Amino acid sequence: MEYRFSSRMGRVPESFLKELFRVSSVPGVISFAGGLPGSAYIDVEGIREAAREVFAEEGRTALQYTTTDGYLPLREFIADRYRRRLGLPATPEEIQIVNGSQQCLDLVAKIFLDPGDAVGMERPGYLGAIEAFSLYEPDFYSVPLEEDGPDLVAFASLIRDRAPKFFYGIPNSQNPSGRTYSEGKRRAVAEILEGTDTIFYEDDAFGELFFDGKPRLPVKHHLPEQTVISGSFSKIVAPGMRIGWIYAPAPVLREFNVAKQAADLHSNFLCQVILHRYLATHDLDAHVARVSAVYGEHCRLMCELLDDLMPPGTTHTNPEGGMFMTAALPGGVSSMEVFSEGVREGVAVLPGVPFYVGGGGEDTIRLNFSAAGEEEIVEGMHRLARVVRRLA
Ligand SMILES: Cc1ncc(COP(=O)(O)O)c(C=O)c1O
């Protein structure tokens, strides 16, 4: 028979992820291509203990249905953390739990976008967002992401000329570039948006992972009623729990709640209760500080090896936090060739191409520095340098 899939399925760019997973599981390949937090820093013992307590004391409740907005004590924990870390006046009523912050990308697009609506994002931009938004058939407009945030001239003209429903940005340690907006650019972005009907969608997947341990003030601080923030426990506790959140103004949350209920009723309640128990009985700040310090070491090592081993003309970003950086290859070297040759040499990187809506990124690669250990980073970068030298 002919499967008559909806036309929107044809709008999703062909996913590179299948190939990536295949490659990453080839024995002996050192992968800088994926986006996994370091497995060694998932507190399996602590989470096991929290789960044991939940089953013993409140198993019957935790295994029931719950409300769509999520477990209130967990939302209180998140709101309290915003107040304490960032001085944002968050309340639990402004927060809803989602199935990983990836679900926010789908549901925010679902409640705002009709086919042909304009969406703004950074260039390069997060691949998972491009995929999620594409299903709602918008027209993408991207703004170059400079070292300290979006190109403000391009940003201002996009907002003025196209009036996108929302602009999606990652001000803290962006995926794929690792770049962080300066304080000045955060304020400028808010000023440009103020008085327009464009929402700022602030994806804060990495805001806890600054190597210097200092939080950066979100754009939401400057533009509270026009900003939707998404956050996640994936990078700081465990991605397999699939627990993230949205922090948004009441009118947005009302629509979001309707869409979330229709999609899945609520996120995994058992995991929400276990996670809350874990957070209530463990020191998240200390855990995050430890993980950020390790990622900082990995990042520094990777930068040094890029500088020392790669042929002249190679450049790279200098992340202040997060899990990713981008390297630009010397003239004429194709990232797709580096990908396929790299696999033969035993190292996997992610070509930049899927991070660019409307083309670009052929000479860039994304490198992840959270998953591999130091020895693997050293060996993997030597392998990568051999490949790039051969192709240059
Ligand atoms: C920028 C960004 N946003 C969102 C996500 C989704 O993460 P999760 O659904 O695990 O919260 C990721 C995953 O890597 C990401 O890099």
Side-chain angles (χ1 to χ4, degrees), residues 35 99-103 105 126 168 170 175 203 205-206 231-235 239 242-244 323-324:
N99 198 26
S101 61
Q102 187 69 25
Q103 189 179 36
L105 296 163
Y126 171 48
Y168 169 78
I170 309 174
N175 181 358
D203 182 336
F206 306 107
S232 178
F233 287 104
S234 289
K235 323 295 187 202
R242 309 304 305 127
I243 307 284
M323 305 183 350
F324 303 103

Short mmCIF file of all heavy atoms in Angstrom, two decimals, residues 35 99-103 105 126 168 170 175 203 205-206 231-235 239 242-244 323-324, ligand 1:
data_model
loop_
_atom_site.label_atom_id
_atom_site.label_comp_id
_atom_site.label_asym_id
_atom_site.label_seq_id
_atom_site.Cartn_x
_atom_site.Cartn_y
_atom_site.Cartn_z
N GLY A 35 26.02 14.19 21.89
CA GLY A 35 25.79 15.29 22.83
C GLY A 35 25.50 14.77 24.22
O GLY A 35 24.70 15.34 24.95
N ASN A 99 8.64 16.80 29.21
CA ASN A 99 9.35 15.55 28.99
C ASN A 99 10.71 15.84 28.34
O ASN A 99 10.94 15.54 27.17
CB ASN A 99 8.46 14.71 28.06
CG ASN A 99 8.83 13.26 28.09
OD1 ASN A 99 9.38 12.77 29.07
ND2 ASN A 99 8.55 12.58 27.01
N GLY A 100 11.60 16.47 29.11
CA GLY A 100 12.85 16.98 28.53
C GLY A 100 12.56 18.31 27.85
O GLY A 100 11.46 18.52 27.33
N SER A 101 13.54 19.23 27.86
CA SER A 101 13.23 20.54 27.28
C SER A 101 13.01 20.44 25.77
O SER A 101 12.49 21.36 25.15
CB SER A 101 14.31 21.56 27.63
OG SER A 101 15.56 21.18 27.13
N GLN A 102 13.37 19.30 25.18
CA GLN A 102 13.06 19.08 23.76
C GLN A 102 11.55 19.18 23.52
O GLN A 102 11.11 19.65 22.48
CB GLN A 102 13.58 17.70 23.33
CG GLN A 102 13.47 17.41 21.84
CD GLN A 102 14.40 18.25 20.97
OE1 GLN A 102 15.43 18.72 21.42
NE2 GLN A 102 14.02 18.44 19.72
N GLN A 103 10.75 18.75 24.51
CA GLN A 103 9.29 18.83 24.33
C GLN A 103 8.81 20.27 24.24
O GLN A 103 7.80 20.56 23.59
CB GLN A 103 8.55 18.09 25.45
CG GLN A 103 7.06 17.99 25.16
CD GLN A 103 6.25 17.25 26.19
OE1 GLN A 103 6.52 17.34 27.38
NE2 GLN A 103 5.24 16.51 25.74
N LEU A 105 10.28 22.59 22.66
CA LEU A 105 10.47 23.03 21.27
C LEU A 105 9.25 22.65 20.44
O LEU A 105 8.74 23.44 19.66
CB LEU A 105 11.73 22.40 20.70
CG LEU A 105 13.04 22.82 21.37
CD1 LEU A 105 14.17 21.86 21.03
CD2 LEU A 105 13.40 24.23 20.97
N TYR A 126 20.53 25.35 16.89
CA TYR A 126 20.42 23.99 17.42
C TYR A 126 19.62 23.09 16.46
O TYR A 126 18.45 23.38 16.16
CB TYR A 126 19.79 24.04 18.81
CG TYR A 126 19.41 22.69 19.39
CD1 TYR A 126 20.30 21.62 19.39
CD2 TYR A 126 18.16 22.50 19.97
CE1 TYR A 126 19.94 20.40 19.92
CE2 TYR A 126 17.79 21.28 20.53
CZ TYR A 126 18.69 20.23 20.49
OH TYR A 126 18.33 19.01 21.03
N TYR A 168 14.19 32.17 18.52
CA TYR A 168 14.73 31.12 19.37
C TYR A 168 16.23 31.32 19.52
O TYR A 168 16.97 31.35 18.52
CB TYR A 168 14.44 29.75 18.73
CG TYR A 168 15.17 28.60 19.38
CD1 TYR A 168 14.73 28.05 20.58
CD2 TYR A 168 16.31 28.06 18.79
CE1 TYR A 168 15.41 27.00 21.18
CE2 TYR A 168 17.00 27.01 19.37
CZ TYR A 168 16.54 26.48 20.56
OH TYR A 168 17.21 25.45 21.15
N ILE A 170 19.92 30.63 22.24
CA ILE A 170 20.56 29.91 23.36
C ILE A 170 21.66 30.83 23.88
O ILE A 170 22.82 30.71 23.47
CB ILE A 170 21.14 28.56 22.90
CG1 ILE A 170 20.09 27.74 22.14
CG2 ILE A 170 21.67 27.76 24.10
CD1 ILE A 170 20.63 26.46 21.52
N ASN A 175 24.59 25.51 21.62
CA ASN A 175 24.78 24.31 20.83
C ASN A 175 24.46 24.70 19.38
O ASN A 175 23.33 25.13 19.15
CB ASN A 175 23.81 23.22 21.33
CG ASN A 175 23.94 21.91 20.57
OD1 ASN A 175 24.72 21.79 19.65
ND2 ASN A 175 23.14 20.93 20.96
N ASP A 203 16.35 29.24 25.26
CA ASP A 203 16.64 27.85 25.61
C ASP A 203 17.88 27.86 26.52
O ASP A 203 18.97 28.22 26.10
CB ASP A 203 16.92 27.06 24.32
CG ASP A 203 17.18 25.58 24.58
OD1 ASP A 203 17.60 25.22 25.71
OD2 ASP A 203 17.01 24.77 23.64
N ALA A 205 19.52 25.31 28.20
CA ALA A 205 19.93 23.93 28.51
C ALA A 205 21.27 23.88 29.26
O ALA A 205 21.56 22.91 29.95
CB ALA A 205 20.02 23.12 27.22
N PHE A 206 22.10 24.95 29.10
CA PHE A 206 23.48 24.87 29.60
C PHE A 206 23.84 25.93 30.64
O PHE A 206 25.01 26.04 31.01
CB PHE A 206 24.47 24.97 28.42
CG PHE A 206 24.21 23.96 27.34
CD1 PHE A 206 23.66 24.36 26.13
CD2 PHE A 206 24.49 22.63 27.55
CE1 PHE A 206 23.41 23.43 25.13
CE2 PHE A 206 24.23 21.69 26.56
CZ PHE A 206 23.69 22.10 25.35
N GLY A 231 14.25 24.98 30.51
CA GLY A 231 15.38 24.47 31.28
C GLY A 231 15.28 22.96 31.38
O GLY A 231 14.28 22.36 30.98
N SER A 232 16.34 22.35 31.93
CA SER A 232 16.38 20.89 31.90
C SER A 232 17.29 20.33 32.99
O SER A 232 18.29 20.94 33.35
CB SER A 232 16.94 20.47 30.53
OG SER A 232 17.06 19.07 30.46
N PHE A 233 16.90 19.17 33.48
CA PHE A 233 17.78 18.44 34.41
C PHE A 233 18.71 17.48 33.66
O PHE A 233 19.50 16.78 34.27
CB PHE A 233 16.95 17.66 35.43
CG PHE A 233 16.30 18.56 36.46
CD1 PHE A 233 14.94 18.85 36.39
CD2 PHE A 233 17.05 19.14 37.48
CE1 PHE A 233 14.35 19.70 37.31
CE2 PHE A 233 16.47 19.99 38.41
CZ PHE A 233 15.11 20.28 38.32
N SER A 234 18.59 17.44 32.33
CA SER A 234 19.35 16.46 31.55
C SER A 234 20.85 16.60 31.74
O SER A 234 21.55 15.61 31.90
CB SER A 234 19.03 16.59 30.06
OG SER A 234 17.73 16.14 29.82
N LYS A 235 21.34 17.83 31.67
CA LYS A 235 22.79 18.02 31.70
C LYS A 235 23.34 18.10 33.12
O LYS A 235 24.54 18.05 33.32
CB LYS A 235 23.20 19.30 30.95
CG LYS A 235 22.41 19.61 29.70
CD LYS A 235 22.59 18.58 28.61
CE LYS A 235 21.90 19.06 27.34
NZ LYS A 235 21.58 17.99 26.43
N PRO A 239 19.94 12.69 31.78
CA PRO A 239 19.04 12.90 30.63
C PRO A 239 17.98 11.82 30.48
O PRO A 239 16.90 12.07 29.97
CB PRO A 239 19.98 12.92 29.42
CG PRO A 239 21.26 12.29 29.87
CD PRO A 239 21.34 12.49 31.35
N ARG A 242 14.36 12.35 31.48
CA ARG A 242 13.55 13.18 30.60
C ARG A 242 12.71 14.20 31.38
O ARG A 242 11.49 14.29 31.21
CB ARG A 242 12.62 12.33 29.68
CG ARG A 242 13.25 11.22 28.92
CD ARG A 242 14.41 11.65 28.03
NE ARG A 242 14.10 12.70 27.09
CZ ARG A 242 14.82 13.83 27.01
NH1 ARG A 242 15.88 14.07 27.77
NH2 ARG A 242 14.49 14.74 26.12
N ILE A 243 13.35 14.96 32.24
CA ILE A 243 12.62 15.99 32.99
C ILE A 243 13.22 17.36 32.68
O ILE A 243 14.40 17.62 32.95
CB ILE A 243 12.67 15.75 34.52
CG1 ILE A 243 12.21 14.34 34.88
CG2 ILE A 243 11.82 16.81 35.24
CD1 ILE A 243 10.74 14.09 34.84
N GLY A 244 12.38 18.21 32.12
CA GLY A 244 12.73 19.60 31.88
C GLY A 244 11.57 20.47 32.30
O GLY A 244 10.61 19.98 32.92
N MET A 323 28.86 22.12 26.66
CA MET A 323 29.37 20.81 26.26
C MET A 323 29.93 20.78 24.83
O MET A 323 30.39 19.73 24.38
CB MET A 323 28.25 19.76 26.37
CG MET A 323 27.63 19.71 27.75
SD MET A 323 26.35 18.46 28.07
CE MET A 323 25.94 17.78 26.52
N PHE A 324 29.83 21.92 24.12
CA PHE A 324 30.19 21.90 22.69
C PHE A 324 31.07 23.07 22.30
O PHE A 324 31.00 24.14 22.91
CB PHE A 324 28.92 21.98 21.83
CG PHE A 324 27.93 20.90 22.09
CD1 PHE A 324 26.79 21.16 22.85
CD2 PHE A 324 28.13 19.62 21.59
CE1 PHE A 324 25.86 20.16 23.11
CE2 PHE A 324 27.21 18.62 21.84
CZ PHE A 324 26.07 18.89 22.60
C1 LIG B 1 20.21 23.49 23.13
C2 LIG B 1 19.44 22.28 23.53
N1 LIG B 1 18.14 22.42 23.87
C3 LIG B 1 17.40 21.36 24.24
C4 LIG B 1 17.94 20.10 24.29
C5 LIG B 1 17.05 18.98 24.70
O1 LIG B 1 17.46 18.41 25.88
P1 LIG B 1 16.49 17.69 26.91
O2 LIG B 1 15.22 17.35 26.17
O3 LIG B 1 17.23 16.49 27.35
O4 LIG B 1 16.24 18.67 28.00
C6 LIG B 1 19.28 19.90 23.95
C7 LIG B 1 19.88 18.55 23.98
O5 LIG B 1 21.06 18.37 23.79
C8 LIG B 1 20.05 21.03 23.57
O6 LIG B 1 21.34 20.90 23.21
#
